[in-house]
Amino acid sequence: MISSPHKLAVEELTVAFGHGRRARTVLRGVSTGVRAGQTLGLVGESGSGKSTIAKAIVGVHPARAGRILLDGEDLTGLRRRELGAVRRRVQLVSQDPYASLNPCMTAGEAIAEAVDPVRADARKHAVTVERWLETVALDGSAAGRYPHEFSGGQRQRIAVARALAVGPEVLVADEITSALDASVQAEVLNLLEELRRSLTLTMVFISHDLAVVRHVSDEVAVLCQGELVEQGPVRDVYRSPRHPYTRRLLASVPTFDKKEEAA
Amino acid sequence: MRRIRWNTPLVTALTGLGLITLLGIVAPFLAEEEATALSGAARAHASSEHWLGTDALGRDVLARTLVATRLTLEMTLAATAIAAVTGILLGAGVWVSGRRVRELGLRLIDVMISYPALILALVIATVLGTGPTASVLAIGLGGAPAFARLTANMAASVAQRDFVTQARLMGVPPYRVLVRHLLPNVAGPLLVLLSVAFANVLVALSGLSFLGVGVQTPDYDWGSLLNSGLASLHTNPAEAIGPAVAITVTGVLAGFVGDGLAAALDPRAGRAKVAAARPVVTAPSHRAPGEALVTVDGLAVVLPDGTRLVDDVSFHVMPGEIVGLVGESGSGKSLTAMSVARLLPEGLAAHAAELTLDDLDLAAPGTDPKRLATEIGVVFQDPSSSFNPALRMSGQLSETLRVHQGVRGAEADRRAIEALERVRIKEPARVMKQYPHELSGGMRQRAMIASALLPGPRLIVADEPTTALDVTVQAEVLDVLKDINRRRGTSVLLISHDIGVVGTVCHRIVVMYAGRVVEELSAADLRAGRVRHPYTRALLAASPRLRDTGTGDRAPLATIPGRPPAPAARPSGCAFAARCPVVLDTICATERPRLIDDVACHAVRQEVQAE
């Protein structure tokens, strides 16, 4: 086992879809990592492969080549059974809160399933369920309601609660605020930051929104067409981007931040 | 579980089937004797003693029809159950197995479905022999492929949804994923199929009995009664009528249950009741300058039930001006813009004291469609759905020119190419010959702007034109809009949820909240942070910044407690009062703030007066 300073690392990760002539390489030899208790922001435009990284990390897309290391242990070589235990240590929250919750299960059942995937008994785990709902600032009575009874922001918070109820060490958040209004997005971002501190979570935060990534991340990695073009501490990358693509990306954001605004 | 919306066909059909089931239970006890009693009168015509006459052995046909209900229903239920259970297991099994087996299994099911179920059943019946058990098995297995295909296809589509992936990641065992996540979500369509299958099975079983391979004497079901009735159809038609009516009525009722269920489970069904809209009277109040291109005064967008989604909105757009409408979802910004473009969704009505584009009245019922099409250009959010995928770009781009301005052929093409050049599309001649899917999202959106520009409109209404685009592409598209405005003096009404977008592109910004205008300000004021309404302030504070703001990185963002009120539950006072940090106890909850000096807020008003 190789000791790595990173809680989670990907090394030379290549992901391709299809076979033979129709094969399409979506990620080309991407290496990056995140230290325990920190947040890595992944930015890029559509087609950059940022969602593919998320899905490769949690094992939905198989890696063609390269390694995915959790605490130095390679996940790509694991057998099905070993993978089962590892998988619960890394959880994914995805973009669309309307697709990520089963419309036939109450919020309580969804969280109970995260606690106990076999039985998913909301009554037995009522106390745990309520605690997680309160963690994401939802009322305990939310447990008995179905997804369609919640707003988009509330659904996204239920999705976060469900992922956290698994007790993961790493949370992969894939565009989780893209579908939300600005004021609701602020709530979800604040919640994540609070949880990251109180639970010492390690996070991979994926977004096309550079301002959001800057707000939540320690380090940022910039993806362009399946390749990593720049990575570094948020402050450095945003202040003095080195790669021309990063510069272009930052210059494109419509913004009017002024110094006097802070005053 | 999702709630079922009861409807008349469903209730009627279920009641009818309930009565028939009841009949099936009690009839054998009441009429068994009469049904088997031999009487002297063989093949008697209908009479007061035998309502439907008697059969060849002199037994009462009505009694036999009633008694046969039980056996018929039992067989139908059994066969339907066999079809459903076998089919669902088969479909689910095929779906959970590996890729190869799945492909093969799906093809096999397709092949089985392409044979009529009755032929499949006849083959099985030939193998198993005659009799009720054999025909139930045959019909049951014959109906299974339909269930298998529906289950496999639905499961495949549900399995791609995020919540199934999530369940796998949480370590939910495959069997539980199937039972907990897949089956409940395919239950609706399966239920509908079940009731339709019931009707089909009834007819098929009766058919087998009618053909003589089903139920054998001395047992009898509706099919075999029909068979014996057929022999004397010309002399005593009444004998065949009893079972024929029974089969038809039960089959039709089961079909109705299917229709009713489909409607009851469809969340989009119902609700489309259009009541006469109450006239909304608004007095003219807005002080739009006389030379304004667009004047909106006292605009209300109203649902058929009278709920106001947009309420008393007034603003104007000057010639050559870019005005931004900004707000969160549900603020009514898109409805406001669509009222100007006269593209409100069906069922919504716009009322206004004044809604004009220069001298064109946009609120009047029969506005000249030619002027509408040529003077207002519209750009929608989703560039991939705003073009017809089956047609080349050339025809779609020049449509307005051809329809409304009589420009044709080479001239129309020349102008379309010019317009594409204006939105900085390279090789416009080649793009003209391409189909929409061959263009990138950014190119499609620029082509959309080109098409909106072609007839030389005086106003472009752009509804979230860059929301679906990448940030670098967004910058290009916004540049194109600014460029057109600068060079041709076209006014633009830009709708966006992104305060950064409106702040960089627009001259003036109208902020909307809960269907009303809360503030109007210049872009310079917005950029400098000189905003006055507490909602606008909160919105700015909630947005993360791209550069250091000095407040310390990763300090919590400001949030707005609570949610905007639903359109039907908006208070009589200020709609923002319940969430407002500077709310005044005296007035905010009761009196609606009017837009004075470009801001609608009692607290700001009071502050100004105090100074």
Side-chain angles (χ1 to χ4, degrees):
Chain A
M1 204 178 281
I2 308 152
S3 75
S4 156
H6 288 129
K7 175 78 188 171
L8 177 82
V10 298
E11 288 180 357
E12 294 295 323
L13 180 66
T14 297
V15 175
F17 298 123
H19 294 271
R21 207 176 284 171
R22 281 188 300 171
R24 209 158 42 84
T25 309
V26 183
L27 282 179
R28 281 186 207 84
V30 171
S31 301
T32 181
V34 55
R35 288 188 178 79
Q38 290 209 329
T39 299
L40 169 71
L42 271 180
V43 295
E45 299 189 292
S46 44
S48 63
K50 54 191 193 304
S51 278
T52 309
I53 288 202
K55 292 199 167 137
I57 290 173
V58 298
V60 175
H61 293 331
R64 250 319 131 79
R67 306 195 300 165
I68 298 164
L69 304 169
L70 180 65
D71 284 329
E73 184 187 6
D74 187 5
L75 304 185
T76 52
L78 289 185
R79 302 245 173 91
R80 216 163 233 253
R81 189 173 300 166
E82 302 166 309
L83 201 60
V86 177
R87 265 188 181 175
R88 278 179 69 86
R89 294 166 60 194
V90 184
Q91 286 296 305
L92 173 75
V93 182
S94 51
Q95 170 176 9
D96 183 1
Y98 289 87
S100 64
L101 295 173
N102 184 344
C104 299
M105 282 169 83
T106 62
E109 283 165 359
I111 295 172
E113 182 176 52
V115 179
D116 176 3
V118 180
R119 303 251 174 299
D121 190 340
R123 235 174 283 159
K124 196 174 134 203
H125 299 287
V127 180
T128 324
V129 166
E130 202 179 317
R131 202 186 70 226
W132 281 116
L133 284 173
E134 275 164 13
T135 311
V136 295
L138 282 172
D139 208 46
S141 68
R145 285 189 275 152
Y146 288 95
H148 72 261
E149 298 172 65
F150 295 99
S151 69
Q154 289 173 321
R155 279 162 163 258
Q156 197 58 285
R157 280 185 278 165
I158 295 170
V160 170
R162 178 181 54 181
L164 293 175
V166 176
E169 297 157 36
V170 180
L171 194 67
V172 182
D174 184 10
E175 297 273 15
I176 61 169
T177 62
S178 307
L180 306 178
D181 271 326
S183 62
V184 184
Q185 162 174 288
E187 271 173 45
V188 174
L189 292 180
N190 285 351
L191 171 74
L192 273 188
E193 180 61 20
E194 226 177 274
L195 293 172
R196 190 185 65 87
R197 279 190 197 157
S198 59
L199 305 172
T200 53
L201 270 179
T202 307
M203 267 210 299
V204 178
F205 190 94
I206 297 162
S207 178
H208 70 280
D209 189 323
L210 288 120
V212 169
V213 165
R214 176 184 166 275
H215 185 80
V216 299
S217 312
D218 298 286
E219 293 227 339
V220 62
V222 184
L223 281 170
C224 179
Q225 292 177 1
E227 283 175 48
L228 191 90
V229 295
E230 180 160 4
Q231 175 166 6
V234 163
R235 227 165 236 275
D236 300 353
V237 174
Y238 278 69
R239 260 195 206 146
S240 42
R242 279 168 299 153
H243 196 278
Y245 176 72
T246 317
R247 261 178 246 147
R248 188 160 153 246
L249 210 54
L250 281 167
S252 300
V253 180
T255 178
F256 40 87
D257 294 326
K258 289 265 162 70
K259 285 286 179 218
E260 68 253 41
E261 240 182 273
Chain B
M1 275 293 167
R2 278 165 291 181
R3 215 172 294 145
I4 285 184
R5 281 163 294 279
W6 294 101
N7 51 43
T8 326
L10 184 60
V11 174
T12 317
L14 281 179
T15 317
L17 282 186
L19 286 178
I20 291 174
T21 313
L22 197 68
L23 191 68
I25 296 169
V26 299
F29 298 113
L30 302 179
E32 178 83 68
E33 217 166 297
E34 204 183 338
T36 47
L38 306 177
S39 77
R43 296 210 188 278
H45 286 261
S47 65
S48 60
E49 203 179 325
H50 305 287
W51 288 6
L52 292 177
T54 58
D55 68 359
L57 296 177
R59 295 172 294 201
D60 184 74
V61 173
L62 178 63
R64 287 177 74 77
T65 306
L66 294 180
V67 173
T69 307
R70 177 185 281 186
L71 181 64
T72 310
L73 284 189
E74 281 172 354
M75 286 171 56
T76 309
L77 278 179
T80 312
I82 290 174
V85 172
T86 320
I88 292 171
L89 285 180
L90 194 66
V94 162
W95 182 77
V96 292
S97 35
R99 199 169 60 91
R100 291 267 161 84
V101 180
R102 191 187 315 163
E103 294 288 311
L104 197 71
L106 287 177
R107 295 293 153 272
L108 214 66
I109 292 171
D110 284 347
V111 171
M112 273 154 65
I113 271 193
S114 59
Y115 285 101
L118 195 59
I119 293 185
L120 201 62
L122 275 175
V123 173
I124 300 174
T126 328
V127 177
L128 295 177
T130 54
T133 321
S135 54
V136 164
L137 264 178
I139 297 291
L141 293 178
F147 280 94
R149 182 160 73 168
L150 186 71
T151 310
N153 286 354
M154 291 283 302
S157 79
V158 175
Q160 283 170 359
R161 310 263 299 272
D162 283 349
F163 61 80
V164 177
T165 311
Q166 295 284 0
R168 295 228 182 88
L169 292 180
M170 294 187 301
V172 178
Y175 166 73
R176 303 267 172 187
V177 173
L178 186 73
V179 173
R180 209 178 286 149
H181 293 284
L182 291 177
L183 289 185
N185 281 299
V186 304
L190 279 178
L191 220 54
V192 174
L193 181 62
L194 203 63
S195 56
V196 174
F198 182 87
N200 289 340
V201 163
L202 173 70
V203 173
L205 277 174
S206 302
L208 281 188
S209 290
F210 178 77
L211 294 174
V213 285
V215 174
Q216 305 294 313
T217 42
D219 294 328
Y220 52 96
D221 66 348
W222 289 340
S224 55
L225 285 181
L226 193 62
N227 185 7
S228 66
L230 195 70
S232 57
L233 189 65
H234 296 292
T235 52
N236 183 14
E239 195 186 332
I241 284 178
V245 167
I247 293 172
T248 313
V249 168
T250 314
V252 167
L253 284 179
F256 269 129
V257 171
D259 277 2
L261 272 180
L265 294 170
D266 184 358
R268 289 163 301 178
R271 193 174 73 93
K273 211 183 282 172
V274 180
R278 283 182 287 129
V280 179
V281 186
T282 35
S285 63
H286 192 61
R287 43 351 13 99
E291 63 274 24
L293 177 67
V294 178
T295 307
V296 178
D297 188 5
L299 173 73
V301 176
V302 185
L303 277 175
D305 66 3
T307 309
R308 292 186 180 199
L309 301 177
V310 169
D311 194 2
D312 197 12
V313 163
S314 304
F315 65 94
H316 65 272
V317 182
M318 300 296 286
E321 193 182 27
I322 306 182
V323 171
L325 274 181
V326 69
E328 298 187 286
S329 45
S331 63
K333 57 188 188 303
S334 278
L335 290 178
T336 302
M338 288 304 124
S339 307
V340 173
R342 284 194 61 128
L343 290 172
L344 277 181
E346 214 171 316
L348 294 181
H351 305 271
E354 190 180 355
L355 184 60
T356 52
L357 175 85
D358 202 3
D359 61 334
L360 183 65
D361 187 353
L362 297 167
T367 309
D368 182 4
K370 184 177 161 184
R371 283 196 66 188
L372 264 183
T374 51
E375 294 188 17
I376 302 179
V378 184
V379 180
F380 296 101
Q381 171 173 348
D382 185 2
S384 57
S385 64
S386 37
F387 287 106
N388 183 338
L391 300 175
R392 289 178 200 280
M393 295 305 292
S394 54
Q396 308 196 55
L397 285 171
S398 56
E399 194 170 9
T400 331
L401 281 184
R402 282 181 288 117
V403 174
H404 291 296
Q405 298 184 322
V407 183
R408 298 201 191 272
E411 172 64 11
D413 281 355
R414 193 186 58 76
R415 287 222 223 156
I417 290 176
E418 253 178 43
L420 287 176
E421 275 168 354
R422 232 177 282 139
V423 296
R424 299 181 210 154
I425 282 183
K426 285 172 203 132
E427 298 185 71
R430 197 168 64 91
V431 169
M432 289 283 280
K433 293 195 195 83
Q434 287 181 312
Y435 289 95
H437 74 264
E438 297 175 73
L439 309 182
S440 70
M443 268 168 81
R444 267 197 297 257
Q445 196 59 307
R446 277 182 282 165
M448 183 78 217
I449 296 175
S451 141
L453 274 180
L454 258 178
R458 296 202 276 170
L459 173 75
I460 289 183
V461 176
D463 187 4
E464 302 268 9
T466 59
T467 305
L469 305 177
D470 277 326
V471 58
T472 50
V473 184
Q474 162 170 289
E476 288 165 18
V477 170
L478 293 179
D479 262 358
V480 166
L481 270 181
K482 275 198 279 191
D483 191 51
I484 286 161
N485 166 262
R486 215 171 20 238
R487 284 211 241 158
R488 296 166 53 107
T490 313
S491 299
V492 181
L493 182 60
L494 178 77
I495 291 84
S496 180
H497 68 285
D498 189 332
I499 211 157
V501 167
V502 292
T504 40
V505 179
C506 301
H507 301 119
R508 212 150 44 80
I509 290 112
V510 176
V511 185
M512 289 186 69
Y513 178 80
R516 298 167 191 170
V517 173
V518 293
E519 182 167 5
E520 220 188 281
L521 71 169
S522 72
D525 280 346
L526 178 66
R527 281 197 287 265
R530 284 191 296 271
V531 299
R532 297 192 287 163
H533 196 281
Y535 171 68
T536 322
R537 281 167 194 253
L539 207 56
L540 274 181
S543 311
R545 292 301 149 99
L546 198 57
R547 321 229 180 279
D548 297 340
T549 49
T551 51
D553 284 350
R554 304 176 83 165
L557 295 163
T559 56
I560 312 175
R563 301 265 162 272
R570 282 173 193 156
S572 57
C574 172
F576 191 60
R579 312 172 70 186
C580 183
V582 294
V583 63
L584 304 172
D585 303 337
T586 44
I587 187 167
C588 289
T590 49
E591 197 180 310
R592 192 144 138 208
R594 284 186 304 135
L595 197 67
I596 303 171
D597 290 341
D598 294 338
V599 59
C601 178
H602 294 302
V604 171
R605 213 53 258 125
Q606 204 181 54
E607 220 174 280
V608 170
Q609 280 163 353
E611 273 167 17

